[in-house]
Amino acid sequence: MSQHQAAIVQALPLHAVYLSFDLQENVSQSAVRKALQQLQTLADGERLVIGIGASLAGFLQASIPGLREFSGIAGSKVRLPATPAALWCWLREDERGELLHQQIRLQQALAGAFVLQQKTDAFKYAGGRDLSGYEDGTENPQGDEALAVAIAADGSSYVAIQQWEHRFDRLQAMPQAEQDDMIGRRKDDNEELDDAPESAHVKRTAQENFEPEAFVMRRSMPWSDGANGGLYFVAFATSYAAFEAQLRRMSGAEDGMTDALFQFTQPQTGSYFWCPPLLSGKADLRLLGVS
C-alpha cells in the first residue's frame, strides 16, 4: 500500500540541506533510471524527501498529472525568478555530521546521470523562527487536516520552492513597530495585530480568505551562506493552486498591492516538483518507469 513521505508533515529537523539537480548532458534514459533506482533505496521519506521536476518526467516520457514548471505569475509587480530543476532533495538530520554523510551517499548514487545545480544549507533557528526573528508556519494545519492539505489520495504531494534572501540592513533600519506592521504580528509574542495595514504579510496570505481557501503545509527553514541568509520557503499541497493564489496576491498581480515583505526580502529561486509516495519503504517511481 502506498504511503506518503512522512517528513512532509513531521516536525522540522535541527539541520537540513536542500539540493537541486539537473540532468547531465547527453545522458541516456537507462543511465537516469539506474541512478533513480539507487536513489530509491535512500529516499525513505523521513531523512530524505525527494521531488521530481517536469524536465525529468519529460525526459523519461512519463506522464505525471498536475506536474509542471513554475513560470512566474502573470501581472506580478515584483521579480519572481523561475529556476527549474530535474530533481529536488531535502536531506534532514538532527546531527550535522550525519547530514554530510547522507549528502555524500546521495551524490554518489546520482553521479552517473545528474549534476548538482544548487546546494543550500538550512537549520532550525530560535525554536522555529525565521532569521527576521518572526515565527514561521504559525498557520500550518495540524493532524488530519495537515494530511488532507498536503497529501493526495495516492500518497503523493506537490511542492513549491522559493529561496528568499533577506536584506538585514533594511530590516534593522526599521523601527520595531514598523517591522510588526510589515509582518502583521508582534515579534515578541507572535500575536496578530488587529490594526495591521492591508499590505501586512499576514493579511496578504491569510489562507482562509481566498476563494477557494488556499491552505498549504509550510516546511520552510532559515538558510545561510557566509554573511548572506534568508528563508528557504517550502510549501506542500495536493496541487500548486493554493501556492499560486497566495503568490498572486503577494506579488500585486491580484489587486496591485504588493506584500510589505518585499521591503526587505526577495525570492531568488522558484521551482515546482512532484513528491512521489512510498511503496514498501522506498520511493515509488513506477510512473517514471523505475521499479
Side-chain angles (χ1 to χ4, degrees):
M1 180 177 178
S2 294
Q3 297 177 320
H4 63 275
Q5 297 189 64
I8 292 172
V9 293
Q10 287 177 343
L12 292 172
L14 293 179
H15 301 280
V17 170
Y18 299 100
L19 302 174
S20 297
F21 294 89
D22 290 323
L23 290 168
Q24 291 183 6
E25 290 188 14
N26 302 318
V27 69
S28 66
Q29 287 188 350
S30 61
V32 171
R33 288 195 171 98
K34 181 178 179 180
L36 291 176
Q37 284 180 326
Q38 297 184 72
L39 175 64
Q40 272 186 311
T41 63
L42 301 175
D44 62 357
E46 293 194 40
R47 297 177 66 201
L48 172 58
V49 174
I50 66 168
I52 306 300
S55 62
L56 175 55
F59 179 79
L60 295 177
Q61 300 176 303
S63 177
I64 300 178
L67 175 62
R68 53 187 171 85
E69 301 284 18
F70 175 71
S71 57
I73 297 293
S76 173
K77 306 300 182 184
V78 293
R79 180 174 173 267
L80 299 173
T83 55
L87 177 68
W88 174 76
C89 299
W90 178 22
L91 290 69
R92 304 159 37 92
E93 295 286 355
D94 285 333
E95 206 284 321
R96 187 70 186 169
E98 284 302 317
L99 197 62
L100 173 62
H101 291 309
Q102 187 185 172
Q103 182 181 335
I104 291 170
R105 289 192 295 269
L106 174 65
Q107 291 189 255
Q108 287 175 339
L110 298 176
F114 294 86
V115 59
L116 182 65
Q117 179 200 79
Q118 183 185 27
K119 170 181 177 289
T120 305
D121 292 302
F123 48 88
K124 198 169 186 178
Y125 171 65
R129 293 177 182 261
D130 172 54
L131 289 173
S132 64
Y134 289 90
E135 287 192 31
D136 183 67
T138 301
E139 300 297 327
N140 263 342
Q142 303 294 321
D144 290 342
E145 186 181 355
L147 291 172
V149 165
I151 308 299
D154 65 353
S156 67
S157 185
Y158 296 81
V159 63
I161 311 298
Q162 285 182 312
Q163 184 176 0
W164 290 69
E165 184 170 2
H166 296 348
R167 285 290 304 272
F168 295 106
D169 55 341
R170 294 182 182 178
L171 184 66
Q172 292 161 3
M174 294 181 188
Q176 189 57 59
E178 188 176 333
Q179 292 184 34
D180 290 349
D181 280 345
M182 176 179 64
I183 301 299
R185 293 182 182 275
R186 289 196 297 266
K187 184 183 291 188
D188 57 1
D189 61 8
N190 200 40
E191 284 298 314
E192 191 167 331
L193 303 177
D194 293 332
D195 59 350
E198 290 303 312
S199 61
H201 180 60
V202 166
K203 287 196 172 183
R204 301 304 287 172
T205 59
Q207 298 175 99
E208 68 278 3
N209 289 347
F210 292 84
E211 183 59 47
E213 294 180 335
F215 282 94
V216 297
M217 188 66 184
R218 292 177 56 148
R219 302 281 77 188
S220 312
M221 296 185 73
W223 67 270
S224 67
D225 181 12
N228 300 320
L231 186 71
Y232 195 98
F233 177 86
V234 179
F236 292 96
T238 56
S239 76
Y240 307 119
F243 168 75
E244 289 190 344
Q246 291 193 35
L247 192 57
R248 190 174 298 111
R249 185 174 293 175
M250 286 179 65
S251 67
E254 183 177 274
D255 58 9
M257 180 185 293
T258 57
D259 194 308
L261 208 63
F262 286 100
Q263 294 179 55
F264 89 101
T265 187
Q266 289 82 35
Q268 306 300 313
T269 67
S271 310
Y272 285 159
F273 301 96
W274 171 75
C275 300
L278 300 181
L279 183 63
S280 301
K282 64 180 183 179
D284 183 358
L285 301 179
R286 290 176 294 176
L287 289 182
L288 300 178
V290 178
S291 57

